[in-house]
Structures are given as C-alpha cells and as structure tokens.
C-alpha cells in the first residue's frame, strides 16, 4: 500500500498529475479507515488502495483516482458529502456521492434498496460516466476477495455482478474488466464447473501455445505474400466464454472447437476488408459467423471485423480484424476517450442507452420490475434496422415491429395496428433482422394488447405497454370500488359524492394510509378492505356497521373463506401475515422455499405463489398482487425435475445416484436416454427442501468429471394464471 506505487501508476499515463492532492486523499482515507478490517482480517484501506490502482488501469483523471480512495468514507466513516467537497472539491464529491450505496436510508426490503441504488447510480452516470467506472473498479476488487464472505452473501454478490455489472462493463466496451468479472462470477457461482474447465484448459496449455504460435506465423506469411503488413496475436478465450459455449450448445470442453481467437491489426480500415478477403480465400469461412462491426459499430463504440474459418489442420478459429485505434477502444472501451482535463464530465460520450434507462425508470416504481428492466437493457447483441426515411434504429436482438414502433414514440407504439418490413406486410411478432426497413401502420382507436408482452424485447416497449394496461385496469378497479361503497353508503342514507366534495372521504383514506380516496376504491374492488371499515371511520358513532349493511363477502373474502389451516401447513407460506388462505404454486416458475416470492389473487382459486422474477407476474395487474413470505416454522419438500447432460459412460448413473443420496434426497423417478454422439440425458424427479439445497446439489453434480450440464426444468409452457 505504498503511495509511490500509486503515484507511479498515475504517472504512466497522466501528463501533469497533481500528486499532492492524491497524497492528501491517500492519507485522509488511511486515517478515516484506520480501525476497520475486512472479513479477511486485512486493513480495510487495502480495498481502497487496490480500487484506485484499478482506476489508474482505466487511465482516468485525478478526481477519479481520489474518488477511488474515498468511495467508502461517506458510507463507512460517518464523513458527510460537505466534508469531501470542502477538502477535495465538488468534482470528487460528486463521484463519491454517485458511488456510495444507500445504507443510511431505510427501505422496506433488500430488493427495494438494491433497486434504489441502481436508480441513483444510473442518474449519476448519465451526468458523469466516471461514477460507474469507479464503481466497476470497486466491484472488481470486491469480487477478487469474495472468498472471505459467507456462501449466501458470496452467491448474491456474484449473481448481481453477473446480471448487472459485467454487462455494464460490456456496454462500456471495457473487455478486460468484463472478462475478469465474468470469470470470477463463474468461480463463485459454479466453483466445481470452473475448476473442471480450468484444469482441462491448463492440461492442453502446451499444445494450445504451439498451435497459436504456428497459426500466427502462417497468417503473417499469408498476408506478407499478398503485400500486407500486419501484427497477429492469438489467445485462448476466457473461461466464462468457453462455459457459455458449452452451456448454450450442450458441449463438453473437448467439443468447443473455437476456443482460440486470433487478432489481426492493420493500419487502415481499407486494409481490414482487404485482409478479410485474403483470409476467406485461404480458409473456408463458417456460414453465418461473419459480422461487420466496422460499418455498424456496437453501442459501446466497438469496431472490428469478425469471421470464423476452418483454419490450419481443420481447426475452427475465430479471427478479428481491426486497426490500432479500434484495438485500443476494444480493450479500454469508453475509457479510451477520457480527457485529462478536470471537470469534463461525460462530454463527447455517447451514453444514449444510459439516458434511456434514466428516462424509463420513472415509469417503474416496482423495484423488481426496475431491476429486470436494467437487465433487459444490457443485452450484448443488437439488431440494426432502418426507418422508411433511412434513419438507423438500434434495437435488442430478437425485436419485433412493436419494439420499433415504441422506439419512435410512445404514441406510435400504442396505436400500432400493422407493420411492413421491406415493403411486405408482416405480423406484429415478426423478428426483425439487420438491414430491414420497417414501416408502422397506426390507427387512432388502436390500443396496446396484453399479448404484445409475450414477444416484445425492448425495455421501453415492455414498460409503455404495462403502463397503459395498468392504467386501464386501475380505472376499471376505481369504478368497481366506488360502486361498492356508494351502494353501501346509500343503505345508511349517505351520499358518496357529497362525502368526496366535503373532504370526508379523503380524511378517511388518509387515516387508512392512502394518498387518495381513489386508491382506496381500488383496494375496495379487490376486497383488500371492506366498506364497513371505511364507513366506521366516516361515522365513528355508528355501531354494528356490518350488520346494518348486510354486506355480502368481498371478492377476496369469497376466495379466502373456503381455506383451512391445514393448507398453510402443507405449503409453508403466509399471505399478508394470515394463516388460513388457499395457496397454490405457479407452474410457470415453480418457486422453492428460499426464493423471493409474491402472491397473485386468482379468480376463484385463492392466491398463486410466483417467483418475483417471473415474466408473468411482471406483466400482471399490481392491484391483484399481495405480500407473501415463507413460513420458517414449517418445512415442506417439493418435487422438481432435474436434467443432467453427460457423456454416455459406464457408471454415470450410479455416480449421479450416489451424489443425490449423499445429500439425503428422495429420488421419485429417473429416466435415461442416449444419443448416437456419445451423450446421455438423465432426468431425475426429486424432492427438494429449498433453493439453497438445490444449489448445493447442482454444484455437487457438476463436480462429476463426465457431467456436461445440470439444469432444473420448469413448466414454462403451462397456461398462466388469470
């Protein structure tokens, strides 16, 4: 933790650094955290020092380096924003404020806290990209030292990194940072699998190095014979990338033939296309594996030509062709464009995707939905299509004309009735391809359909459709709720309209915790409250209100009244703190004890329990969602189906059965099928206690040498709840 090491790192790229200011921050952070230790027992300041070194690796300005040293002082040392601003200036204070987690604000749940942290971070990075760059350095060092945390926290952090921070690093084009984050996620989420792949990768290291050396020399000779001077390098892909290929295509490590990549660096863009022709003339290209990111760069400014060919010895190899400047941007991403002048902020950066996320978040107050929205916007692949006027539109891969319509304007999306692609009428769920020209046909009386949610891909389209549908549902619920209480008020000779005008209804709503009596009507319509409860507040002197009203049971009461206490004991779930509720589990997501869950009021069938990330629940009417939680006092096992893909080897079924028995699992049934390619699929139906046990079992099975992949089968094609 020698300051000289930090000063040296800064001096390698900064022309005139203010090292005195950095030294002041170094001493301030060291003193502020002097009595704090990490879980490993090391001084906490070590984390801040390593974070600032990573900031230097991104070649950021002095304010960013100082923010790396101070990013935890507000959160962990009771030092306020004003102190940071007074000592180190508003620029540093702004970055520190953006990076700081919201520990000191009370939220109703961990999910809400996480969502609000993301909201804050997105707003800050839309104004100054340095916020997320420092945050990524902070997260990378935390991931490097994750082994000192308890398993549960380790898994949660790794999952968050895999779903949010690694994709953000990818969107910002910082390849080295993204790759290391992904490898560390694989190590912590699926350690047995990680070590198996790493071991096999190291076993073939000598042969791989020889092949890379020989192939590089062959490519250089090939290009020189055509009069092209180039730099050629070869490398193995990082472990997470290899695992993705194995997972996606159900392959064993030995079957991943394009685990090697070669990079050709040439002086000009023209040379890039010339080299592509030479390579394709020498080796047969693999159909469908050519991508031109030079003519159409990625959103993170990445440019390169990609092609996969059947190279020397019949080996499939991936080749990337780019200029030195393209290569610099590919490695450093948005940080490659950083300006040393202090206070430049995000000037000159294309952060449209961040701005869109910030704009869209105002529509999403549900924390789970917001987090899903962030994940949806971090897709690595895009599709490029054109408007009839020739404007280029970038959409997530797999998008349809409805996504295109909403990218133009919300009103265009809401009124979409038909679409033309390349002059031909297509269905609204038609998948768009690169280069398509899309034209939208609208009609004033057209409204969004709930079915659109099953095929749109962009977060903007999903959000706008949900907003419209929920608005319509809320209006209908308000009408029903006002009718219910209006009829009951008439029974005791009171007028709803007069109570609204006098403000009495608003007073009653406020006493019950509602912002408006309109919200009260919505809950009345779904039976979450009764007319009698509202009237008892309006007429506190009235006695036996329910008897006088002679009210029929509310819709929710009719659903619940057939329940028995035995039901709760069977499923181990509490609904809004109640016991005697009819509860069933959704087939679409099949949550296990330990998963985060919500309840959905179904018509005549009680409450259905969904996983919070379930696509069906994210598009459901929020007024029919109720709070539920697992009852820790009740332990109940649930049947699940586990598919194990493996090599067809003698004894594999016995090895798998032994592993399941070691975990004390009851195997209800087992089926095995084989292929002509030496593969086997073994399906087990087992009884599992909770998500934690399933994770342990999965990791244990992945440690068996001949196993390729383990997956839990969910009944996603079942009819969703109505």
């Amino acid at each position: 933790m020698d300051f000289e090491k930090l000063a040296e790192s800064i001096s390698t790229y900064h022309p005139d650094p203010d090292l005195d200011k950095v030294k002041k921050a170094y001493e301030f952070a060291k003193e502020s955290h002097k009595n704090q230790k990490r879980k490993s027992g090391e001084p906490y300041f070590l984390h801040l020092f390593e974070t600032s070194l990573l900031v230097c690796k991104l070649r950021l300005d002095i304010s960013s380096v100082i923010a790396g040293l101070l990013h935890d002082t507000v959160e962990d040392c009771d030092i306020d924003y004003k102190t940071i601003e007074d000592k180190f200036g508003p620029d540093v204070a702004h970055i520190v404020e953006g990076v700081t987690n919201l520990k000191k604000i009370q939220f109703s749940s961990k999910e809400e806290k996480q969502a609000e942290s993301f909201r804050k971070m997105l707003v800050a990075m839309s104004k100054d990209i340095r916020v997320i760059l420092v945050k990524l350095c902070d997260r990378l060092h935390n991931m490097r030292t994750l082994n000192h945390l308890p398993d549960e926290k380790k898994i949660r952090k790794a999952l968050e990194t895999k779903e949010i921070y690694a994709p953000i690093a990818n969107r910002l084009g910082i390849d080295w940072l993204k790759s290391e984050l992904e490898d560390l996620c694989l190590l912590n989420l699926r350690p047995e699998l990680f070590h198996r792949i790493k071991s096999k990768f190291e076993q073939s290291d000598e042969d791989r190095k020889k092949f890379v050396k020989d192939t590089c020399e062959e490519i250089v000779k090939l290009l020189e014979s055509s009069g092209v001077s180039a730099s050629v390098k070869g490398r193995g892909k990082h472990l997470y990338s290899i695992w993705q290929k194995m997972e996606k295509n159900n392959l064993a490590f030995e079957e991943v033939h394009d685990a090697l990549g070669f990079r050709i660096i040439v002086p000009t863009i023209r040379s890039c296309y010339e080299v592509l022709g030479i390579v394709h003339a020498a080796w047969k290209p693999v159909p469908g594996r050519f991508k031109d990111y030079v003519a159409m760069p990625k959103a993170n400014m990445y440019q390169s030509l990609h092609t996969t060919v059947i190279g020397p010895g019949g080996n499939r190899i991936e080749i990337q062709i780019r200029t030195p400047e393209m290569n610099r941007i590919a490695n450093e991403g948005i940080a490659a464009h950083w300006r040393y002048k202090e206070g430049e902020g995000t000037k000159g950066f294309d952060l449209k995707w961040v701005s869109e996320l910030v704009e869209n978040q105002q529509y999403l107050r549900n924390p789970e939905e917001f987090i899903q929205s962030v994940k949806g916007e971090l897709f690595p692949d895009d599709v490029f299509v054109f408007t009839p006027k020739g404007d280029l539109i970038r959409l997530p891969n797999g998008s349809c004309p409805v996504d295109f319509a909403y990218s133009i304007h919300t009103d265009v999306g809401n009124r979409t009735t038909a679409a033309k692609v390349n002059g031909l009428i297509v269905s609204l769920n038609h998948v768009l391809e690169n280069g398509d020209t899309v034209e939208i046909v609208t009609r004033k009386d057209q409204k969004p359909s709930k079915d659109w949610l099953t095929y749109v891909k962009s977060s903007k389209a999903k959000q706008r459709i949900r907003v419209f549908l929920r608005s319509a549902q809320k209006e209908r619920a308000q009408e029903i709720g006002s009718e219910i209480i209006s009829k009951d008020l008439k029974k005791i000779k009171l007028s709803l309209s007069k109570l609204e005008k006098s403000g009495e209804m608003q007073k009653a709503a406020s006493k019950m915790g509602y912002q408006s009596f309109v919200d009260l009507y919505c809950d009345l319509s779904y039976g979450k409250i009764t007319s009698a409860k509202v009237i008892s507040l309006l007429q506190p002197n009235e006695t036996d209100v329910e008897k006088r009203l002679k009210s029929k049971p509310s819709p929710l009461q009719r659903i619940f009244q057939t329940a028995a206490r035995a039901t709760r004991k069977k499923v181990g779930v509490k609904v809004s703190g109640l016991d005697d509720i009819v509860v069933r589990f959704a087939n679409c997501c099949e949550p296990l004890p330990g998963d985060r869950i919500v309840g959905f009021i179904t018509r005549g069938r009680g409450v259905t329990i969904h996983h919070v990330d379930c696509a069906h629940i994210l598009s459901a009417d929020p007024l029919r969602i109720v709070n539920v939680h697992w009852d820790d006092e009740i332990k109940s096992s649930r049947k699940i189906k586990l598919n194990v893909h493996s090599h067809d080897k003698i004894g594999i079924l016995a090895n798998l059965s032994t592993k399941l028995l070691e975990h004390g699992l009851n195997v209800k049934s087992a089926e095995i099928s084989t292929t002509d390619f030496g593969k086997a699929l073994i399906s087990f139906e087992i009884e599992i206690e909770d998500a934690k046990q399933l994770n342990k079992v999965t990791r244990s099975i992945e440690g068996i040498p001949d196993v390729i992949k383990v997956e839990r089968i969910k009944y996603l094609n079942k009819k969703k709840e109505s």
Side-chain angles (χ1 to χ4, degrees):
M1 294 187 288
D2 186 359
F3 176 75
E4 294 305 317
K5 183 178 180 181
L6 181 58
E8 185 180 340
S9 295
I10 298 169
S11 300
T12 57
Y13 68 89
H14 202 297
D16 186 26
D18 186 351
L19 294 179
D20 289 340
K21 191 176 180 181
V22 180
K23 181 67 181 286
K24 180 183 174 184
Y26 175 92
E27 298 294 348
F28 181 81
K30 196 170 185 180
E31 176 64 24
S32 299
H33 294 272
K34 66 180 179 181
N35 296 320
Q36 296 176 1
K37 300 281 186 183
R38 304 199 83 202
K39 294 290 185 183
S40 61
E42 296 171 321
Y44 193 88
F45 180 70
L46 175 64
H47 166 64
L48 309 173
F49 182 76
E50 293 293 338
T51 298
S52 62
L53 287 177
L54 288 169
V55 172
C56 292
K57 189 173 180 180
L58 287 178
R59 304 169 69 87
L60 301 187
D61 65 353
I62 293 301
S63 292
S64 301
V65 176
I66 293 173
L69 289 166
L70 303 176
H71 73 269
D72 278 335
T73 50
V74 173
E75 186 175 313
D76 296 335
C77 302
D78 292 325
I79 294 170
D80 59 19
Y81 177 91
K82 187 69 169 58
T83 302
I84 301 294
E85 185 178 36
D86 291 342
K87 287 182 176 293
F88 303 101
D91 210 28
V92 172
H94 166 72
I95 301 171
V96 171
E97 174 69 8
V99 174
T100 300
N101 288 325
L102 305 184
K103 274 189 177 178
K104 297 180 181 178
I105 299 177
Q106 295 300 311
F107 294 106
S108 61
S109 66
K110 287 181 181 178
E111 293 71 43
E112 185 181 353
K113 179 176 179 178
Q114 183 192 45
E116 289 304 320
S117 293
F118 286 145
R119 287 185 202 274
K120 179 185 178 186
M121 187 175 68
L122 287 170
V123 171
M125 68 186 277
S126 69
K127 297 175 182 175
D128 192 334
I129 194 61
R130 292 174 295 180
V131 170
I132 191 58
L133 294 176
V134 174
K135 180 66 179 177
L136 286 171
C137 294
D138 168 46
R139 178 51 62 114
L140 177 55
H141 186 255
N142 278 330
M143 287 297 295
R144 286 176 175 177
T145 55
L146 213 57
N147 57 306
H148 298 290
L149 297 179
D151 283 348
E152 190 174 338
K153 193 170 184 180
K154 188 190 302 182
I155 290 168
R156 189 174 72 247
K157 287 282 185 185
L159 196 60
E160 183 181 85
T161 301
K162 176 190 169 189
E163 295 180 341
I164 300 292
Y165 291 103
I168 285 179
N170 182 53
R171 284 298 296 257
L172 296 177
I174 311 169
D175 184 66
W176 67 268
L177 202 155
K178 179 212 72 160
S179 298
E180 187 174 349
L181 284 175
E182 288 178 338
D183 281 353
L184 290 168
C185 288
L186 185 61
L187 170 62
N188 287 283
L189 291 172
R190 307 180 77 166
E192 288 80 7
L193 201 58
F194 175 89
H195 290 299
R196 273 179 53 203
I197 296 172
K198 185 181 179 185
S199 175
K200 291 188 177 185
F201 199 74
E202 289 171 347
Q203 286 171 16
S204 60
D205 190 52
E206 201 170 310
D207 292 338
R208 186 175 63 255
K209 284 179 179 177
K210 185 178 185 306
F211 178 79
V212 167
K213 182 175 178 292
D214 293 346
T215 303
C216 284
E217 290 174 355
E218 192 167 341
I219 293 173
V220 169
K221 288 178 183 177
L222 177 67
L223 297 179
E224 285 179 346
S225 66
S226 300
V228 177
S229 176
S231 166
V232 181
K233 292 182 179 179
R235 61 179 177 84
K237 294 187 176 178
H238 66 292
L239 300 185
Y240 184 89
S241 177
I242 294 172
W243 167 75
Q244 275 189 313
K245 290 181 180 294
M246 293 168 61
E247 187 83 357
K248 182 179 178 182
N249 302 307
N250 196 20
L251 300 173
F253 175 84
E254 294 76 14
E255 296 171 305
V256 180
H257 299 303
D258 54 348
L260 297 175
F262 293 85
R263 190 167 294 155
I264 302 175
I265 311 295
V266 290
T268 65
I269 292 177
R270 181 175 178 178
S271 304
C272 291
Y273 290 99
E274 186 180 350
V275 167
L276 179 70
I278 295 169
V279 168
H280 280 184
W283 294 307
K284 188 175 181 180
V286 177
R289 294 301 303 272
F290 168 66
K291 291 183 179 178
D292 187 345
Y293 294 119
V294 173
M296 289 189 289
K298 290 185 178 183
N300 58 19
M301 302 177 293
Y302 177 90
Q303 287 185 289
S304 187
L305 297 178
H306 287 200
T307 186
T308 301
V309 298
I310 308 300
N315 291 295
R316 181 181 291 205
I317 59 173
E318 183 183 86
I319 295 177
Q320 300 170 350
I321 308 165
R322 58 180 70 150
T323 65
E325 177 62 12
M326 291 177 194
N327 191 51
R328 189 169 76 90
I329 293 171
N331 289 327
E332 300 177 26
I334 201 165
H337 294 269
W338 190 253
R339 302 173 182 179
Y340 295 120
K341 188 176 178 182
E342 301 292 329
E344 286 278 341
T346 55
K347 195 178 291 183
F349 297 127
D350 178 14
L351 290 173
K352 185 180 177 183
W353 64 277
V354 181
S355 301
E356 288 176 353
L357 272 176
V358 173
E359 177 192 345
N360 292 342
Q361 61 94 20
Q362 64 182 301
Y363 295 91
L364 300 171
R365 293 303 165 197
N366 180 302
E368 293 295 345
E369 192 172 341
F370 174 70
I371 292 171
Q372 290 299 319
S373 168
V374 173
K375 293 175 186 176
E377 282 301 317
L378 297 176
F379 276 113
D381 296 320
D382 295 317
V383 61
F384 297 88
V385 296
F386 295 94
T387 68
K389 292 183 179 180
D391 295 327
L392 186 67
I393 303 293
R394 188 195 308 269
L395 296 169
N397 200 27
S399 290
C400 63
V402 179
D403 291 290
F404 175 88
Y406 278 103
S407 74
I408 302 300
H409 196 278
T410 299
D411 286 343
V412 175
N414 287 344
R415 296 174 181 175
T416 296
T417 186
K420 292 181 181 179
V421 173
N422 303 325
L424 300 175
I425 291 180
V426 298
S427 62
L428 292 181
N429 64 355
H430 174 83
V431 177
L432 300 176
E433 297 181 359
N434 279 322
D436 283 345
T437 297
V438 186
E439 183 180 352
I440 299 297
V441 180
T442 61
R443 201 172 62 206
K444 283 186 178 180
D445 60 347
Q446 176 67 21
K447 295 178 181 178
S449 165
K450 195 171 185 177
D451 292 338
W452 291 1
L453 289 170
T454 62
Y455 48 79
V456 294
K457 297 295 181 183
S458 66
S459 291
K460 183 174 182 179
K462 290 176 183 177
Q463 291 157 12
R464 300 307 193 269
I465 294 166
R466 286 171 184 155
V467 165
F468 186 92
L469 294 175
R470 287 172 180 175
S471 177
Q473 290 167 341
K474 190 171 183 179
E475 284 179 15
R476 178 59 181 150
Q478 289 168 5
E479 289 174 10
I480 294 171
S482 62
E483 285 176 14
I484 290 171
I485 195 164
S486 180
K487 287 178 181 178
D488 284 342
L489 285 168
K490 285 177 183 177
K491 293 175 184 177
I492 57 174
K493 298 181 180 180
L494 288 176
S495 166
L496 178 62
S497 60
K498 287 181 180 179
L499 288 168
E500 287 180 350
K501 288 177 182 177
S502 67
E504 291 301 312
M505 186 58 73
Q506 181 58 50
K507 287 180 184 177
S510 298
K511 286 178 182 177
M512 297 179 72
Y514 295 100
Q515 288 187 342
S516 165
F517 57 76
V518 171
D519 297 327
L520 181 149
Y521 295 161
C522 290
D523 275 6
L524 265 172
S525 72
Y526 284 106
K528 292 183 179 180
I529 57 172
T530 63
S531 293
K533 188 173 182 180
V534 179
I535 293 171
S536 65
L537 289 173
L538 292 166
Q539 299 285 300
N541 296 325
E542 284 282 349
T543 57
D544 297 327
V545 175
E546 289 196 35
K547 190 174 180 181
R548 285 194 64 190
L549 294 178
K550 297 179 181 178
S551 300
K552 293 180 180 179
S554 69
L556 191 65
Q557 289 167 335
R558 285 199 297 273
I559 291 172
F560 288 176
Q561 65 185 0
T562 58
R565 187 171 297 275
T567 306
R568 177 178 72 92
K569 290 182 179 178
K570 183 179 178 182
V571 299
V573 171
K574 284 189 174 183
V575 179
S576 297
L578 303 175
D579 294 338
D580 303 333
I581 307 299
V582 173
V583 171
R584 53 200 296 274
F585 290 96
N587 284 334
C588 51
C589 55
E590 293 191 318
L592 284 172
D595 288 335
R596 303 203 315 271
I597 52 175
V598 294
F600 183 73
I601 302 170
T602 54
R603 295 188 177 94
R605 288 174 290 168
V607 172
T608 303
I609 309 301
H610 288 261
H611 194 285
V612 291
D613 291 339
C614 178
H616 292 159
I617 209 67
L618 288 173
S619 61
D621 179 357
L623 296 172
R624 293 168 65 183
I625 293 174
V626 292
N627 292 326
V628 298
H629 66 271
W630 299 104
D631 189 339
D632 295 332
E633 296 178 2
I634 298 173
K635 300 294 181 185
S636 60
S637 58
R638 301 196 60 227
K639 280 194 290 188
I640 66 161
K641 187 176 181 182
L642 212 61
N643 276 1
V644 180
H645 300 264
S646 72
H647 293 292
D648 184 14
K649 296 286 184 70
I650 295 173
I652 184 67
L653 183 58
N655 290 339
L656 289 169
S657 299
T658 300
K659 282 290 182 187
L660 294 174
L661 288 172
E662 283 176 4
H663 288 273
L665 297 178
N666 181 20
V667 180
K668 306 295 287 186
S669 65
E671 295 178 12
I672 186 167
S673 58
T674 59
T675 70
D676 295 333
F677 304 102
K679 299 280 182 63
L681 171 62
I682 305 103
S683 297
F684 293 100
E685 190 178 78
I686 59 177
E687 288 186 344
I688 208 89
E689 286 184 2
D690 52 34
K692 190 182 291 185
Q693 186 184 32
L694 176 61
N695 183 54
K696 287 181 180 177
V697 171
T698 301
R699 286 170 51 181
S700 181
I701 293 174
E702 286 175 341
I704 299 174
D706 291 314
V707 169
I708 298 169
K709 181 171 72 173
V710 184
E711 58 184 347
R712 179 187 170 197
I713 302 302
K714 297 180 182 179
Y715 300 97
L716 294 174
N717 295 324
K718 293 265 185 168
K719 186 178 179 182
K720 61 185 177 182
E721 306 301 337
S722 60

